Amino acid sequence: HISSWILIIVVLILMIASAGNLAADGPGASRSFVSGNFFFILDNARCGFVKSIDGGGISAEVINEPAGSSDFVKKHISQPKYEAFTAEIGFSMSKEIYNWISESWAMNYKRHNGAIVAMDYTMKSKSEDQFFNALITETTIPTCDGSSKEPSYIKIQFTPELTRSAAPEVVDTGNYSKIEQKMWLPSNFRLVIDGLSCNKVNKIDSFTVKQTAVTDDIGDARDYAKEPGKLEFPNLKITLAEVDAQSWYDWHKDFVVNGNNDESKEKDGYLAFFLPNMQKELARIIFHNLGIFKISRDKSEANSDQIKRVTAELYCEKMEFKYAGNVI
């Protein structure tokens, strides 16, 4: 009987000790967590939540040394390389991030520091990736499609000189977790080009503005600097109903066939994004020096019920990005 009581006491002591350890660590302290919220901070400004985030890793090249007296190939690594981040953003973030895009397109290059904070469903910070001296290297405008009903997002790629993983700090998300998101559907757009009828434009293909970031290789530097290189504005691919395409055909004939394609024959225009009610403008892309170089009829099937459309392709020398608050 005494040995039974001793065994019971030992079991109770172990149970109490285990409960104490659980309380000290906190319930679920070592559990995995679902991180579905990513908060963007730019130069200490709280910019809001992004749709998705990717990249930001740190790697190094493996260098082989085949020469030497060893029977096997010696290896070591080079300087660290910092991957670019790619983020999808909507129109519900603070103006700082849209101004960064505008500055980049205007070749007013400014390097920015910031962080991406991953949060769980309770908005508790779980991890933080910091970046330093970053430049925007790509901005992708999604396809504008009159038949689409799914929301779309602008994709930006920014390349930092340096990244660090830091202990997450408590982030005050303010009203960003409560505000009504400014949903943008790809069908909520308006295209205007000088002298052209754009009433029947139903699609504008996705396009990307690219800015190279050139590495400044310095022999005694472990982390290399990034300098802005060339800025490249893409061509536009626009689809519209053929019934409204006569002005486009006339411009193509004069510009391409007849050869009247000097700068005075180029056109300006803009692409505006709206809320679903088409009353509130969210942002605008202004086009400068547009020139048409191709127009063609889309493929049609006999005895099919479809609207006859044509596709025009235009070059563009310069674009400006204007957030709603800055639209004239």
Side-chain angles (χ1 to χ4, degrees), residues 139-206:
T139 308
T140 299
I141 305 300
T143 297
C144 298
D145 189 343
S147 64
S148 179
K149 303 304 178 186
E150 295 296 324
S152 285
Y153 302 87
I154 296 173
K155 184 181 293 184
I156 62 170
Q157 182 186 91
F158 53 97
T159 301
E161 291 182 352
L162 186 69
T163 62
R164 288 288 183 268
S165 293
E169 298 183 5
V170 176
V171 177
D172 179 10
T173 60
N175 293 324
Y176 284 106
S177 59
K178 302 176 183 178
I179 61 173
E180 180 181 354
Q181 295 296 307
K182 296 177 183 176
M183 186 68 71
W184 179 68
L185 300 177
S187 56
N188 302 143
F189 71 93
R190 179 180 298 147
L191 178 68
V192 175
I193 299 178
D194 297 340
L196 298 180
S197 178
C198 299
N199 296 326
K200 297 292 185 179
V201 171
N202 76 300
K203 184 179 178 182
I204 303 171
D205 283 13
S206 174

Side-chain angles (χ1 to χ4, degrees), residues 21 45 99 119 128 153 158 161 171 200 207 239 270 328:
N21 291 334
N99 289 342
M119 300 178 175
E128 181 174 324
Y153 302 87
F158 53 97
E161 291 182 352
V171 177
K200 297 292 185 179
F207 57 90
T239 304
Y270 67 85
I328 298 174

Side-chain angles (χ1 to χ4, degrees), residues 65-74:
E65 296 181 2
S69 58
S70 175
D71 293 333
F72 53 88
V73 176
K74 297 283 289 181

Side-chain angles (χ1 to χ4, degrees), residues 91 101-102 105 139-144 154 184 189-193 204-209 233-234 236 268-274 281-288 290 316 318-324 326-328:
F91 288 105
I101 297 174
S102 299
W105 288 23
T139 308
T140 299
I141 305 300
T143 297
C144 298
I154 296 173
W184 179 68
F189 71 93
R190 179 180 298 147
L191 178 68
V192 175
I193 299 178
I204 303 171
D205 283 13
S206 174
F207 57 90
T208 301
V209 176
F233 293 105
L236 300 177
D268 294 339
Y270 67 85
L271 172 63
F273 308 124
F274 292 85
E281 186 172 321
L282 298 171
R284 179 179 295 191
I285 297 174
I286 302 173
F287 304 121
H288 297 283
L290 291 166
C316 183
K318 183 182 177 182
M319 299 180 185
E320 297 179 64
F321 183 90
K322 300 290 185 181
Y323 185 51
N326 300 325
V327 172
I328 298 174

Side-chain angles (χ1 to χ4, degrees), residues 38-324:
F38 305 96
F39 200 78
F40 197 101
I41 299 173
L42 192 67
D43 292 334
N44 297 319
R46 295 174 302 140
C47 293
F49 291 96
V50 299
K51 176 65 170 62
S52 69
I53 189 72
D54 189 24
I58 306 174
S59 62
E61 258 186 70
V62 177
I63 300 174
N64 297 331
E65 296 181 2
S69 58
S70 175
D71 293 333
F72 53 88
V73 176
K74 297 283 289 181
K75 298 181 181 180
H76 65 274
I77 61 172
S78 64
Q79 289 92 339
K81 293 183 178 181
Y82 302 96
E83 296 178 2
F85 288 90
T86 301
E88 287 184 301
I89 63 173
F91 288 105
S92 297
M93 306 185 73
S94 68
K95 64 181 180 180
E96 283 82 4
I97 195 165
Y98 307 111
N99 289 342
W100 192 15
I101 297 174
S102 299
E103 292 165 355
S104 175
W105 288 23
M107 293 178 285
N108 181 20
Y109 306 116
K110 293 182 180 178
R111 295 172 176 83
H112 292 277
N113 303 332
I116 305 294
V117 181
M119 300 178 175
D120 62 14
Y121 70 97
T122 65
M123 298 300 171
K124 182 178 180 182
S125 302
K126 289 296 186 178
S127 67
E128 181 174 324
D129 291 324
Q130 300 175 345
F131 58 87
F132 303 91
N133 298 328
L135 293 167
I136 289 183
T137 48
E138 288 188 8
T139 308
T140 299
I141 305 300
T143 297
C144 298
D145 189 343
S147 64
S148 179
K149 303 304 178 186
E150 295 296 324
S152 285
Y153 302 87
I154 296 173
K155 184 181 293 184
I156 62 170
Q157 182 186 91
F158 53 97
T159 301
E161 291 182 352
L162 186 69
T163 62
R164 288 288 183 268
S165 293
E169 298 183 5
V170 176
V171 177
D172 179 10
T173 60
N175 293 324
Y176 284 106
S177 59
K178 302 176 183 178
I179 61 173
E180 180 181 354
Q181 295 296 307
K182 296 177 183 176
M183 186 68 71
W184 179 68
L185 300 177
S187 56
N188 302 143
F189 71 93
R190 179 180 298 147
L191 178 68
V192 175
I193 299 178
D194 297 340
L196 298 180
S197 178
C198 299
N199 296 326
K200 297 292 185 179
V201 171
N202 76 300
K203 184 179 178 182
I204 303 171
D205 283 13
S206 174
F207 57 90
T208 301
V209 176
K210 296 182 179 181
Q211 165 70 65
T212 56
V214 182
T215 302
D216 186 7
D217 299 329
I218 302 174
D220 62 352
R222 178 168 173 79
D223 297 317
Y224 295 146
K226 299 286 187 181
E227 298 297 336
K230 290 184 178 180
L231 181 63
E232 179 185 351
F233 293 105
N235 299 329
L236 300 177
K237 193 172 183 179
I238 301 167
T239 304
L240 66 153
E242 188 174 35
V243 69
D244 200 41
Q246 189 56 51
S247 59
W248 296 73
Y249 279 122
D250 293 342
W251 184 32
H252 177 267
K253 181 179 178 181
D254 185 58
F255 200 82
V256 177
V257 179
N258 296 339
N260 297 318
N261 49 31
D262 57 38
E263 190 170 335
S264 66
K265 298 296 183 179
E266 295 174 338
K267 299 180 182 293
D268 294 339
Y270 67 85
L271 172 63
F273 308 124
F274 292 85
L275 283 173
N277 60 13
M278 294 300 290
Q279 299 298 316
K280 170 65 176 176
E281 186 172 321
L282 298 171
R284 179 179 295 191
I285 297 174
I286 302 173
F287 304 121
H288 297 283
N289 301 100
L290 291 166
I292 191 168
F293 62 90
K294 182 180 180 181
I295 188 168
S296 58
R297 293 179 176 86
D298 290 1
K299 180 181 178 181
S300 300
E301 297 290 342
N303 301 318
S304 63
D305 292 330
Q306 61 182 23
I307 295 174
K308 184 64 176 176
R309 302 191 186 277
V310 299
T311 298
E313 297 185 48
L314 285 62
Y315 67 76
C316 183
E317 290 185 359
K318 183 182 177 182
M319 299 180 185
E320 297 179 64
F321 183 90
K322 300 290 185 181
Y323 185 51

